[in-house]
Structure formats: C-alpha cells, structure tokens
Amino acid sequence: MTTPGVNRRRMLGWMAAAGAAGVAGAASVGTRLAAAVPAAEVVKRQEIRSLTPDQRTRFFNAIKTLYNNNSANNQYNQFVLTHYNYQAQGHGVAAFLPWHREFLRRFEVALQRIDKRIVLPYWDWTRDSQAPERSAIFSPAYFGGNGTGSNRCVTTGAFAGWRVRFPNTRCLQRQYNGGSTIGSWYSPAMTENLLNNNRQSYDQFRRALEGSPHASVHVNIGGDMAQMYSPNDPLYWIHHAFIDLLWAEWQARNPNLANTYGGGGASLTNTMIPFGVRVASTLDTRALGYTYPRWSGSSQAT
C-alpha cells in the first residue's frame, strides 16, 4: 500500500488557490441556485458504478441540459461561480462539510427539476486508490480520461469536447500528476482508519478529511479539478458526494457527535453564505431527502 501521492503543503496550497477575489459581476450567484428543499421521499444515493446504463445516461444528460449552450449565465456555470466566489466560506474552515452538503443538494435539486428520477451518485474512489487511472470512471463509458494535446483537453467520455467559461473560455482540462498515471490516494484501509481515529470532535474529523483524503483527488487528477473552479469538471460532483458520505458515516458511527459542529468559534447557528441557511439545517441528510449506504473499508476493498 502506498501513501497518497501529493504532499500536504501542496494540498493546503490548493485549498487556498485562486485568492479571495470573485469573478466580476457574479457576486450574488449563490442566491440563484435551486434551494435544497427536501425531496418528496427519502432516496438513497448510490455508487455511480452501481447505476444501470440508463440511470447513468440520464444523470449525464441532466448535467448537459443544465449546461445547455455554455452561456455565462447558464445554471451549470452558476454552480461553478458559486464555488469559486465563495471559496473562503467553504474551504479550510469549519463549514467545509456543511457548506458542500448544501451545495451538492442544490445541484441535485437542479438536476431533479430536469429529470425527477435523478439521484446524485457518489464515487468511492478508495476502490481505485492504488492505480486511479485504471478506474472505469475514466473510461469512455463514464467521464473520459486524461487531457490530451498542449491544452490538456478532455476528448473522451460523456463530456468529450466540453467547453468551460471560467476563468476563461476553453476546453475542459485534466492533467494527471503522474503524466499518464494518477498518484495514489486514500485506500479503503486508510479511510477506515481516518473514520476510527478522529472521534474526539467534529473539528478534528473535518480537518483530517479535508486535507489529504479530499484534496489529493483534486490535485492528482489535475486540470480543472485542481483549481477552485473545480466544478467545471463534472467529476467534482461525484467526488464531493463521497466526501459527504464519509461525513455521514462518521456521524452514524459517533451518534453523540452527529449533531455537533465547531472549530475556530464556529456555531450551529452560523448562516452559510451565500445560501442563507444555518449550519444546523444540514446535519441530517434524511431531513434533506437522501441517505447513503453504510460504508466500511473491508466491504470496499478490491
């Protein structure tokens, strides 16, 4: 078993990347995202490889519909801009986990307005940890692989030829940190240890998860995923859905801490910008309309 192929200093640099300045004229985009209202019924988010081909196609098509003609003001780009413009509110701070839970739920709601059958899947990247580039996720049937050419454009998979608008108009980019390979990240066993060894407080767990486990996936895939406009790459959503699953699993394993929050003076009554909702409203995924399967390192090992 190898350790994740990215050093902590570089990951912390990623979390601080792009500075605090937002994109001009887009400061209020977060308020225009679909609200994270509960679904009519509680659904279970699935690992993306467990979806049927039809379910996977509907998921990809809903993303493409949200993206439509790639105009600056389309719904998909509003999500990209929200992540970029409010990076300081959702990264390197206590709100990292609840902020992204709210963000993902709003994205899921936007997809469900296109196709009510959509349930946001997650990507258990621990299964791919020691040779990520070999994963089916990077195959033509899923998200395509490494970028090619001098601009590192993604030319295979469901989003081949995808164009982005921020920070400038160009192709969707990926640039594996190993050239043709992706450096390893947290294995099932390492992730199991993370869940079991950070049980003193929410703040301890959040810090442990946001660092190497979360950031190495971004940095090692490279390209758009390694920037604060990482939602340019649709891989972002299934990666962060798994981060959300790990928080939910930690909550389930630590019921005495499930409804706690803190770090740096943070409070459950804090209102998350730009969503206008309190942290306390994000603690229960069932109240938001979804659950996850229970997770363990031994059950995910391949």
Side-chain angles (χ1 to χ4, degrees):
M1 181 184 300
T2 59
T3 55
V6 58
N7 65 59
R8 185 167 181 81
R9 178 173 294 179
R10 187 178 175 198
M11 285 184 295
L12 293 176
W14 176 86
M15 289 191 285
V23 176
S28 63
V29 290
T31 60
R32 300 200 293 271
L33 302 183
V37 295
E41 60 179 328
V42 177
V43 297
K44 182 174 287 187
R45 291 180 178 174
Q46 301 180 62
E47 214 279 339
I48 190 166
R49 286 166 285 200
S50 71
L51 300 182
T52 67
D54 179 64
Q55 288 173 322
R56 187 171 72 241
T57 297
R58 291 204 311 268
F59 173 56
F60 290 159
N61 285 344
I63 293 175
K64 292 174 183 177
T65 299
L66 203 63
Y67 164 93
N68 60 59
N69 63 355
N70 197 31
S71 66
N73 293 321
N74 74 25
Q75 291 185 70
Y76 194 92
N77 281 329
Q78 297 307 307
F79 283 97
V80 176
L81 287 171
T82 296
H83 190 267
Y84 183 88
N85 284 348
Y86 298 97
Q87 58 192 262
Q89 285 73 30
H91 300 84
V93 293
F96 171 71
L97 291 171
W99 194 96
H100 283 85
R101 179 171 284 178
E102 178 74 14
F103 187 52
L104 263 65
R105 180 61 183 133
R106 290 184 181 224
F107 183 71
E108 186 174 50
V109 168
L111 296 181
Q112 289 168 343
R113 289 180 176 175
I114 295 166
D115 183 343
K116 64 182 180 181
R117 297 168 294 179
I118 297 292
V119 178
L120 184 66
Y122 64 91
W123 171 27
D124 183 351
W125 36 255
T126 70
R127 300 183 188 180
D128 309 309
S129 62
Q130 302 309 297
E133 69 282 354
R134 299 180 187 174
S135 172
I137 298 302
F138 296 108
S139 73
Y142 285 83
F143 291 83
N146 202 6
T148 61
S150 60
N151 290 329
R152 312 304 303 180
C153 297
V154 174
T155 59
T156 60
F159 302 97
W162 185 270
R163 303 287 293 176
V164 304
R165 284 291 297 265
F166 304 105
N168 49 59
T169 301
R170 55 166 173 75
C171 64
L172 171 64
Q173 297 175 338
R174 291 192 197 128
Q175 186 168 8
Y176 295 171
N177 71 326
S180 61
T181 62
I182 301 173
S184 62
W185 46 58
Y186 266 46
S187 67
M190 295 171 70
T191 305
E192 184 70 30
N193 288 338
L194 180 145
L195 289 165
N196 289 332
N197 294 336
N198 293 278
R199 307 178 80 160
Q200 296 181 12
S201 68
Y202 165 86
D203 186 53
Q204 180 195 41
F205 173 71
R206 190 274 304 173
R207 289 174 181 270
L209 180 60
E210 187 178 3
S212 180
H214 153 257
S216 63
V217 176
H218 281 283
V219 171
N220 292 8
I221 293 172
D224 282 287
M225 274 289 280
Q227 308 298 327
M228 277 296 174
Y229 39 82
S230 51
N232 272 337
D233 193 333
L235 275 171
Y236 168 91
W237 303 104
I238 60 172
H239 166 44
H240 265 275
F242 185 58
I243 296 298
D244 188 51
L245 176 152
L246 292 176
W247 180 25
E249 179 62 29
W250 182 86
Q251 290 177 298
R253 295 187 187 195
N254 302 281
N256 60 316
L257 297 174
N259 295 318
T260 61
Y261 177 70
S267 167
L268 284 169
T269 60
N270 291 155
T271 297
M272 293 187 295
I273 299 171
F275 307 124
V277 300
R278 292 185 175 183
V279 170
S281 70
T282 67
L283 299 183
D284 182 0
T285 65
R286 293 187 66 87
L288 292 173
Y290 69 92
T291 62
Y292 292 107
R294 292 299 303 270
W295 188 94
S296 72
S298 60
S299 66
Q300 306 306 316
T302 57

